[in-house]
């Protein structure tokens, strides 16, 4: 399911216009991204939680030359599915 299909499905379920649902979805995504980027955790009970994870500095290799390189430490977004979501997937 892509974004447009999701917007259409939500609009059909709720009776709202696709434009309104699209704006709400954009707002939700923006707020989750802002919160996670600020270091906050966003938990949606029954669905899951968005958080950050840290990746330590490590050694890697340039695939073109084979030379060793240092890959700097970074933070990345992480999603952990909630129990209800996991249970639904494993039915």
């Amino acid at each position: 399911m892509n974004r447009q299909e999701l917007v259409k499905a939500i609009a059909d379920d709720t009776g709202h216009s696709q434009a309104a649902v699209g704006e709400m979805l954009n707002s939700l995504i923006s707020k989750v991204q802002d919160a996670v980027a600020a270091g906050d955790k966003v938990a949606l009970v029954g669905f899951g939680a968005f958080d950050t994870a840290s990746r330590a500095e490590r050694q890697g290799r340039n695939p073109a030359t084979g030379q060793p390189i240092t890959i700097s430490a970074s933070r990345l977004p992480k999603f952990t599915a909630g129990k209800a979501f996991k249970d639904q997937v494993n039915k």
Side-chain angles (χ1 to χ4, degrees):
M1 174 179 282
N2 64 30
R3 185 182 183 288
Q4 280 298 75
E5 292 168 342
L6 177 61
V7 167
K8 183 174 181 345
I10 294 170
D12 291 345
D13 282 353
T14 63
H16 290 84
S17 70
Q18 289 185 30
V21 172
E23 287 177 25
M24 287 184 254
L25 183 59
N26 287 341
S27 180
L28 171 70
I29 292 169
S30 175
K31 296 304 176 194
V32 170
Q33 288 174 336
D34 292 346
V36 172
D40 295 335
K41 181 177 183 177
V42 177
L44 303 172
V45 177
F47 181 69
F50 298 90
D51 203 358
T52 57
S54 296
R55 185 177 282 174
E57 184 176 280
R58 62 196 189 280
Q59 290 295 313
R61 292 209 175 266
N62 180 333
T65 64
Q67 295 295 321
I69 58 171
T70 300
I71 302 169
S72 60
S74 63
R75 290 181 356 167
L76 57 132
K78 176 179 129 180
F79 175 75
T80 304
K83 183 179 180 339
F85 191 8
K86 289 178 190 176
D87 290 346
Q88 184 176 358
V89 169
N90 287 311
K91 277 187 181 178

